[in-house]
Amino acid sequence: MAYPRLVIDQTILRHNIRKILDECHELDIDVVAVIKGINAMPEIIQVLIDEGITTLASSRLPQLKKVKSLHPDIQTYALRISMPSEIDELVEVADISLQSELTVIKQINDVCEEKKKTHEIMLMLELGDLREGVYNQDEIKELALTIENDLPHIHLRGVATNLGCYGSINPTDEKMNELIERADYISQLIDRPLEVISGGATTNYPLIANKTMPSGINELRIGCGFYIKDQDELLNYRMIDQEAITLEVQIVEIKDKPSYPIGEITVNAFGDKLEYVDKSIRKRAIIAVGKQDIGGHNKIISLDKQIDIIGGSSDHTLLDITDCDKHYQVGNILSFHLMYEALLMSTQSEYVELKFK
Ligand SMILES: *Cc1c(COP(=O)(O)O)cnc(C)c1O
C-alpha cells in the first residue's frame, strides 16, 4: 500500500450529491457540478453522472475535453473567462462559458461561424468581490445588446456572478437580489427573459439550507461542497455530514526536540521569515507529505484533534504530538481533512495515490 493517499468514499460521495441535489431541486435550482477541485477524476465524474448531474464545469479546458471524450452527452461549462489564445479549443470542448470581455465574445462568434456552431454565454457580472465580471451599467448594456443583435453564433443564456473569492464577500440574499435586478434589466433591453441566473458556488449554500435564496436564482455551480467540508469550521456552518475525501499519510520520524530553532535564524526554504515560539522540548512527528502535495501545511486539518500541525516544507509536514493520548510510532498512518487548496493540489499530484472505497 502506498502513501500519501486520498481515500475516496463513494457511498458518502453519493449521499452528499443526493442531499445537495434534493435541496436545490426543491427550490427549482439547477446544479452544475464543478470538477476542477478534483482534477476531473473520472471515478468521481461517474458518480456525479449516476446521481443525475447533466452539466459538468471546470476552469481548465483540458478537463472539459476529457469529459467530452468520456461522456459525449454531458453538457460542458467553462468557468474561467477565456484567454484569447484558447478560443478554438473553447468552442470545441465547451457548450457554455462565463465571459466578460466583448472582444473575446466576438472572437468566439467568429470561431463558431467557421465551425458552424453556436456557443452559449453567461455574462459575468461584478457584484463586489472584485474578481471577474462587468461592473459598469453602460458596459452591461453594450454587451447584452451586441451579443443579442450582432453576434448570430452566440446565445446569451443568462448572467452569473462569483462571490467569496478575492474579496471574501459573503453571497447574501441582497447580493442575489442585485443579480436578479440586473438580469431583469438585461431582459428588458433584449425583450426576452434570460434562461439562467447563476448565483454562485458552494459559498452560496447557506442560502439554500436556510431557504433564503431569492426566487429567480435558478443555477448554482457547486464543486468542493460535494467532496469536503472545507470552511465549515471557519464559517460555523454544516453543508454535508461526512466528507467524501480524506488524506492518509505515514509517519517517518518521531523525536523529542526543542521547539525553538538552534542557531542563527534567517529565512526558510520558501523565502518566508517565520516566528517561532519556545515551548522547550516537545515530541515531534514528521509525516511524508509536503507543500508539493497539499499546498501548505495549514491547508489540512488533523482528525486527531490533539495533533498540532506546526510547519512544513516541500516534502515534510511537522507535527507536535506531545499532547496526544495515542502513542504514535514511526510507520503509523494519520488521517486529515483537506481544505480547498489541499484538495486541488493533492488530486493533481502524481505522488499522491488514490484509494476508492
Ligand atoms: C471554482 C468555481 C466554482 C465552484 O467553486 P466551489 O467552491 O468548488 O463550489 C464556481 N464558479 C466559478 C466561476 C468557479 O471558478
Side-chain angles (χ1 to χ4, degrees), residues 34 36 79 98 131-132 162 201-202 221-224 340:
V34 177
K36 67 180 193 222
L79 294 174
L98 298 175
R131 204 176 72 179
E132 78 280 40
N162 194 74
T202 297
R221 314 173 303 269
I222 305 259
C224 57
Y340 187 67

PDB file of all heavy atoms in Angstrom, residues 34 36 79 98 131-132 162 201-202 221-224 340, ligand 1:
ATOM      1  N   VAL A  34     -18.968  21.174 -10.416  1.00  0.00           N
ATOM      2  CA  VAL A  34     -17.645  21.706 -10.756  1.00  0.00           C
ATOM      3  C   VAL A  34     -16.575  20.663 -10.408  1.00  0.00           C
ATOM      4  O   VAL A  34     -16.531  20.164  -9.282  1.00  0.00           O
ATOM      5  CB  VAL A  34     -17.401  23.030  -9.997  1.00  0.00           C
ATOM      6  CG1 VAL A  34     -15.998  23.558 -10.278  1.00  0.00           C
ATOM      7  CG2 VAL A  34     -18.455  24.059 -10.409  1.00  0.00           C
ATOM      8  N   LYS A  36     -13.098  21.018 -11.173  1.00  0.00           N
ATOM      9  CA  LYS A  36     -11.699  21.477 -11.199  1.00  0.00           C
ATOM     10  C   LYS A  36     -10.964  21.132  -9.906  1.00  0.00           C
ATOM     11  O   LYS A  36      -9.778  20.847  -9.928  1.00  0.00           O
ATOM     12  CB  LYS A  36     -11.624  22.975 -11.481  1.00  0.00           C
ATOM     13  CG  LYS A  36     -12.193  23.831 -10.372  1.00  0.00           C
ATOM     14  CD  LYS A  36     -12.111  25.318 -10.686  1.00  0.00           C
ATOM     15  CE  LYS A  36     -12.387  26.115  -9.431  1.00  0.00           C
ATOM     16  NZ  LYS A  36     -13.246  27.266  -9.644  1.00  0.00           N
ATOM     17  N   LEU A  79     -15.548  27.753 -16.806  1.00  0.00           N
ATOM     18  CA  LEU A  79     -15.733  28.693 -15.696  1.00  0.00           C
ATOM     19  C   LEU A  79     -14.791  29.886 -15.702  1.00  0.00           C
ATOM     20  O   LEU A  79     -15.114  30.929 -15.170  1.00  0.00           O
ATOM     21  CB  LEU A  79     -15.538  27.956 -14.360  1.00  0.00           C
ATOM     22  CG  LEU A  79     -16.561  26.895 -14.009  1.00  0.00           C
ATOM     23  CD1 LEU A  79     -16.124  26.180 -12.740  1.00  0.00           C
ATOM     24  CD2 LEU A  79     -17.940  27.501 -13.828  1.00  0.00           C
ATOM     25  N   LEU A  98     -18.522  31.245 -19.174  1.00  0.00           N
ATOM     26  CA  LEU A  98     -18.668  32.527 -18.494  1.00  0.00           C
ATOM     27  C   LEU A  98     -17.750  33.511 -19.215  1.00  0.00           C
ATOM     28  O   LEU A  98     -16.592  33.187 -19.476  1.00  0.00           O
ATOM     29  CB  LEU A  98     -18.206  32.406 -17.037  1.00  0.00           C
ATOM     30  CG  LEU A  98     -18.963  31.441 -16.133  1.00  0.00           C
ATOM     31  CD1 LEU A  98     -18.277  31.355 -14.765  1.00  0.00           C
ATOM     32  CD2 LEU A  98     -20.402  31.900 -15.944  1.00  0.00           C
ATOM     33  N   ARG A 131     -13.341  40.088  -8.557  1.00  0.00           N
ATOM     34  CA  ARG A 131     -12.586  39.194  -9.419  1.00  0.00           C
ATOM     35  C   ARG A 131     -13.082  39.514 -10.837  1.00  0.00           C
ATOM     36  O   ARG A 131     -13.008  40.661 -11.248  1.00  0.00           O
ATOM     37  CB  ARG A 131     -12.756  37.730  -9.009  1.00  0.00           C
ATOM     38  CG  ARG A 131     -11.586  36.861  -9.475  1.00  0.00           C
ATOM     39  CD  ARG A 131     -11.693  35.421  -8.992  1.00  0.00           C
ATOM     40  NE  ARG A 131     -12.736  34.678  -9.688  1.00  0.00           N
ATOM     41  CZ  ARG A 131     -13.010  33.397  -9.460  1.00  0.00           C
ATOM     42  NH1 ARG A 131     -12.311  32.721  -8.566  1.00  0.00           N
ATOM     43  NH2 ARG A 131     -13.964  32.763 -10.118  1.00  0.00           N
ATOM     44  N   GLU A 132     -13.661  38.560 -11.558  1.00  0.00           N
ATOM     45  CA  GLU A 132     -14.075  38.865 -12.931  1.00  0.00           C
ATOM     46  C   GLU A 132     -15.527  39.323 -12.993  1.00  0.00           C
ATOM     47  O   GLU A 132     -16.323  38.992 -12.120  1.00  0.00           O
ATOM     48  CB  GLU A 132     -13.846  37.650 -13.841  1.00  0.00           C
ATOM     49  CG  GLU A 132     -14.886  36.543 -13.725  1.00  0.00           C
ATOM     50  CD  GLU A 132     -14.690  35.615 -12.529  1.00  0.00           C
ATOM     51  OE1 GLU A 132     -14.334  36.096 -11.439  1.00  0.00           O
ATOM     52  OE2 GLU A 132     -14.936  34.397 -12.699  1.00  0.00           O
ATOM     53  N   ASN A 162     -19.765  35.734  -9.157  1.00  0.00           N
ATOM     54  CA  ASN A 162     -18.899  34.955  -8.292  1.00  0.00           C
ATOM     55  C   ASN A 162     -18.562  35.790  -7.066  1.00  0.00           C
ATOM     56  O   ASN A 162     -18.075  36.906  -7.191  1.00  0.00           O
ATOM     57  CB  ASN A 162     -17.628  34.602  -9.057  1.00  0.00           C
ATOM     58  CG  ASN A 162     -16.850  33.532  -8.350  1.00  0.00           C
ATOM     59  OD1 ASN A 162     -17.229  32.375  -8.369  1.00  0.00           O
ATOM     60  ND2 ASN A 162     -15.778  33.924  -7.685  1.00  0.00           N
ATOM     61  N   ALA A 201     -21.338  29.691  -6.111  1.00  0.00           N
ATOM     62  CA  ALA A 201     -20.692  28.398  -5.864  1.00  0.00           C
ATOM     63  C   ALA A 201     -21.092  27.827  -4.509  1.00  0.00           C
ATOM     64  O   ALA A 201     -22.126  28.187  -3.946  1.00  0.00           O
ATOM     65  CB  ALA A 201     -19.185  28.589  -5.962  1.00  0.00           C
ATOM     66  N   THR A 202     -20.264  26.967  -3.982  1.00  0.00           N
ATOM     67  CA  THR A 202     -20.525  26.328  -2.685  1.00  0.00           C
ATOM     68  C   THR A 202     -20.803  27.355  -1.593  1.00  0.00           C
ATOM     69  O   THR A 202     -21.631  27.120  -0.717  1.00  0.00           O
ATOM     70  CB  THR A 202     -19.312  25.447  -2.277  1.00  0.00           C
ATOM     71  OG1 THR A 202     -19.172  24.409  -3.252  1.00  0.00           O
ATOM     72  CG2 THR A 202     -19.489  24.838  -0.909  1.00  0.00           C
ATOM     73  N   ARG A 221     -23.257  26.669  -9.162  1.00  0.00           N
ATOM     74  CA  ARG A 221     -22.118  25.900  -9.681  1.00  0.00           C
ATOM     75  C   ARG A 221     -21.363  25.360  -8.467  1.00  0.00           C
ATOM     76  O   ARG A 221     -20.606  26.060  -7.832  1.00  0.00           O
ATOM     77  CB  ARG A 221     -21.225  26.810 -10.524  1.00  0.00           C
ATOM     78  CG  ARG A 221     -22.036  27.671 -11.516  1.00  0.00           C
ATOM     79  CD  ARG A 221     -21.192  28.685 -12.240  1.00  0.00           C
ATOM     80  NE  ARG A 221     -20.479  29.600 -11.381  1.00  0.00           N
ATOM     81  CZ  ARG A 221     -20.936  30.781 -10.956  1.00  0.00           C
ATOM     82  NH1 ARG A 221     -22.149  31.212 -11.305  1.00  0.00           N
ATOM     83  NH2 ARG A 221     -20.201  31.555 -10.184  1.00  0.00           N
ATOM     84  N   ILE A 222     -21.625  24.092  -8.132  1.00  0.00           N
ATOM     85  CA  ILE A 222     -21.125  23.545  -6.867  1.00  0.00           C
ATOM     86  C   ILE A 222     -19.954  22.592  -7.109  1.00  0.00           C
ATOM     87  O   ILE A 222     -20.067  21.652  -7.895  1.00  0.00           O
ATOM     88  CB  ILE A 222     -22.241  22.768  -6.134  1.00  0.00           C
ATOM     89  CG1 ILE A 222     -23.464  23.657  -5.942  1.00  0.00           C
ATOM     90  CG2 ILE A 222     -21.708  22.149  -4.843  1.00  0.00           C
ATOM     91  CD1 ILE A 222     -23.652  24.246  -4.620  1.00  0.00           C
ATOM     92  N   GLY A 223     -18.863  22.836  -6.416  1.00  0.00           N
ATOM     93  CA  GLY A 223     -17.706  21.952  -6.518  1.00  0.00           C
ATOM     94  C   GLY A 223     -17.379  21.325  -5.183  1.00  0.00           C
ATOM     95  O   GLY A 223     -17.898  20.267  -4.820  1.00  0.00           O
ATOM     96  N   CYS A 224     -16.539  22.010  -4.404  1.00  0.00           N
ATOM     97  CA  CYS A 224     -15.978  21.389  -3.204  1.00  0.00           C
ATOM     98  C   CYS A 224     -17.041  20.937  -2.209  1.00  0.00           C
ATOM     99  O   CYS A 224     -16.807  19.991  -1.461  1.00  0.00           O
ATOM    100  CB  CYS A 224     -14.937  22.289  -2.560  1.00  0.00           C
ATOM    101  SG  CYS A 224     -15.538  23.900  -2.127  1.00  0.00           S
ATOM    102  N   TYR A 340      -9.687  23.450   0.654  1.00  0.00           N
ATOM    103  CA  TYR A 340      -9.795  23.553  -0.798  1.00  0.00           C
ATOM    104  C   TYR A 340      -8.446  23.451  -1.512  1.00  0.00           C
ATOM    105  O   TYR A 340      -8.283  22.688  -2.459  1.00  0.00           O
ATOM    106  CB  TYR A 340     -10.496  24.865  -1.171  1.00  0.00           C
ATOM    107  CG  TYR A 340     -10.792  24.966  -2.634  1.00  0.00           C
ATOM    108  CD1 TYR A 340     -11.719  24.123  -3.226  1.00  0.00           C
ATOM    109  CD2 TYR A 340     -10.112  25.874  -3.440  1.00  0.00           C
ATOM    110  CE1 TYR A 340     -11.974  24.198  -4.578  1.00  0.00           C
ATOM    111  CE2 TYR A 340     -10.362  25.950  -4.787  1.00  0.00           C
ATOM    112  CZ  TYR A 340     -11.304  25.110  -5.357  1.00  0.00           C
ATOM    113  OH  TYR A 340     -11.549  25.173  -6.691  1.00  0.00           O
TER     114      TYR A 340
HETATM  115  C1  LIG B   1     -14.394  27.168  -8.937  1.00  0.00           C
HETATM  116  C2  LIG B   1     -15.606  27.887  -9.353  1.00  0.00           C
HETATM  117  C3  LIG B   1     -16.850  27.463  -8.876  1.00  0.00           C
HETATM  118  C4  LIG B   1     -17.020  26.320  -7.892  1.00  0.00           C
HETATM  119  O1  LIG B   1     -16.466  26.619  -6.662  1.00  0.00           O
HETATM  120  P1  LIG B   1     -16.636  25.638  -5.410  1.00  0.00           P
HETATM  121  O2  LIG B   1     -16.173  26.470  -4.266  1.00  0.00           O
HETATM  122  O3  LIG B   1     -15.742  24.472  -5.658  1.00  0.00           O
HETATM  123  O4  LIG B   1     -18.057  25.263  -5.292  1.00  0.00           O
HETATM  124  C5  LIG B   1     -17.956  28.152  -9.328  1.00  0.00           C
HETATM  125  N1  LIG B   1     -17.854  29.185 -10.187  1.00  0.00           N
HETATM  126  C6  LIG B   1     -16.664  29.623 -10.658  1.00  0.00           C
HETATM  127  C7  LIG B   1     -16.618  30.774 -11.593  1.00  0.00           C
HETATM  128  C8  LIG B   1     -15.501  28.983 -10.252  1.00  0.00           C
HETATM  129  O5  LIG B   1     -14.325  29.417 -10.726  1.00  0.00           O
END
